Amino acid sequence: MPYREKPPAISRRRFSALAAAGVAAAPSIARAQAPWRPSRPISIYNPFAPGGVTDVHMRFLAERAAKTLGQPVLIEPKVGAGGTLAAAQMQHAKPDGHTLACMSINSLRYPHYQDVSWNPLRDFSYIIGLSAYTMGIVVRTDSPWQSIEDLITAGKREPEKYNYGTSGAGGTGQLLMIEVEQATGSRFTSVPYKGGAEWMQALMGGHIDFIADAAQWAPFVEAKQVRILAMATEERFPKFPDAPTLTERGIKAVGQSPYGLVGPKDLPQNVVSAVHDAFKAAMADPEHDKLLAQFIQSSWYKSPADYRAFAEKYFHDIKPILVKAGLAKG
């Protein structure tokens, strides 16, 4: 039999120490991999006012996610700073899963033209992408403007006379109208609101002339109280097949405005997974698609990794557009 060198002997003392270390390490590994369960109600900050599309949508999902998580999920309005206040509050929250936020896409724009104490790529844990607003330009049915061309003509003839409602400075609605103005030479005046419920009240009350923002207006179109001049989508929207897109009218402008759920930075992976899974299950509810269809929104599911990848790309890609619009410095 060939000679084999014996492995070095391990003393009993060292063997006992290694064994003890292994036993001590095992529980911590188990704890790290254990599914997370909240120990008290979860609060989710909403960047827009109560009664708006985001509020309705988040409450729908929260009610169903609560059944999976075993604790109530509460939606709390944190309105302000162009729809970025809710996510900004995450820098003050403990990374324990009990305080989260719905993040609008404005949070990926705001730091480019405002001094803020947070960084959207460094200070958030991305959990799940939820939905995307469908953008359009609408007027009351008693408006003299029958087409987008009529609106553009009015904006050229009397610059800045006519007002439109949006979610705030630098939001998707204002960026959309800046692109329209740059493409056509027309000029309008933006009026910021805290959410869709407010700007619809302003439109129906005659305080603004039109809306260029998310489809809180969809039920009003169906009730024949509001008329669509143009959709800010890549293609005509199936629910309103007669409404042309801006692109069809020679105006290259598409409104992009998704939102999702984020938490504080350093949120443990088991917390991210538990919340993600609960909300993904809520999105699978058959009533979910019906709710989104009511406001002509689409599902925008993103896993934690995909949501972060989207945020990183958009944050860098949007800056040149903001600079061109005069909202950010180069």
Side-chain angles (χ1 to χ4, degrees):
M1 180 179 294
Y3 172 80
R4 290 182 181 176
E5 184 176 351
K6 294 183 179 180
I10 300 176
S11 67
R12 288 185 178 181
R13 180 178 297 176
R14 188 182 175 199
F15 179 83
S16 299
L18 290 172
V23 171
S28 64
I29 294 172
R31 283 195 299 270
Q33 296 176 341
W36 177 76
R37 299 286 287 180
S39 59
R40 61 182 185 276
I42 295 173
S43 293
I44 298 180
Y45 297 156
N46 173 23
F48 300 118
V53 175
T54 314
D55 183 63
V56 172
H57 186 208
M58 292 305 300
R59 290 181 188 279
F60 175 95
L61 294 176
E63 180 182 351
R64 286 151 180 80
K67 296 176 182 178
T68 301
L69 294 168
Q71 287 285 350
V73 180
L74 311 175
I75 307 301
E76 300 181 21
K78 296 289 182 180
V79 182
T84 67
L85 183 60
Q89 296 289 308
M90 292 301 93
Q91 64 183 322
H92 306 299
K94 292 182 179 180
D96 61 6
H98 293 94
T99 306
L100 308 171
C102 174
M103 189 184 83
S104 77
I105 200 168
N106 289 359
S107 293
L108 298 174
R109 301 174 182 143
Y110 216 62
H112 289 306
Y113 52 83
Q114 290 283 341
D115 290 330
V116 296
S117 60
W118 47 271
N119 181 293
L121 305 184
R122 185 186 63 228
D123 295 328
F124 302 148
S125 295
Y126 287 81
I127 299 173
I128 187 171
L130 297 174
S131 183
Y133 303 114
T134 299
M135 312 294 290
I137 299 175
V138 303
V139 296
R140 294 188 309 276
T141 50
D142 62 357
S143 170
W145 303 321
Q146 299 295 318
S147 67
I148 190 65
E149 287 82 6
D150 291 343
L151 176 64
I152 297 304
T153 298
K156 288 181 179 179
R157 185 174 57 244
E158 298 179 278
E160 299 183 357
K161 175 182 177 180
Y162 301 106
N163 302 326
Y164 65 95
T166 75
S167 60
T172 302
Q174 188 187 29
L175 288 180
L176 172 65
M177 286 309 301
I178 287 174
E179 290 185 274
V180 170
E181 290 173 340
Q182 290 177 341
T184 64
S186 56
R187 292 291 181 271
F188 303 95
T189 298
S190 174
V191 180
Y193 289 93
K194 294 179 180 179
E198 284 194 6
W199 72 54
M200 285 311 305
Q201 290 177 1
L203 179 67
M204 302 312 297
H207 304 297
I208 54 177
D209 300 293
F210 65 100
I211 287 171
D213 218 295
Q216 179 83 19
W217 40 259
F220 293 82
V221 174
E222 295 178 321
K224 301 189 184 305
Q225 295 175 291
V226 165
R227 177 169 58 251
I228 303 173
L229 297 185
M231 297 293 295
T233 50
E234 294 182 355
E235 299 178 349
R236 291 198 180 199
F237 203 85
K239 190 170 185 176
F240 303 115
D242 296 330
T245 66
L246 288 168
T247 303
E248 285 180 54
R249 293 296 189 253
I251 303 169
K252 294 182 179 180
V254 175
Q256 187 178 23
S257 192
Y259 58 89
L261 202 59
V262 300
K265 66 178 180 180
D266 300 327
L267 200 61
Q269 184 57 50
N270 63 338
V271 176
V272 172
S273 296
V275 176
H276 165 272
D277 293 350
F279 275 80
K280 186 178 181 183
M283 292 172 71
D285 187 309
E287 295 299 315
H288 183 238
D289 287 342
K290 294 179 182 179
L291 177 68
L292 293 181
Q294 182 181 350
F295 297 104
I296 63 169
Q297 288 190 196
S298 57
S299 181
W300 190 74
Y301 168 71
K302 289 280 187 285
S303 68
D306 290 342
Y307 192 9
R308 173 166 285 281
F310 166 83
E312 291 175 350
K313 184 176 188 303
Y314 186 87
F315 183 69
H316 291 104
D317 290 351
I318 193 61
K319 185 173 183 179
I321 298 173
L322 296 174
V323 171
K324 183 179 179 182
L327 295 172
K329 296 181 179 180

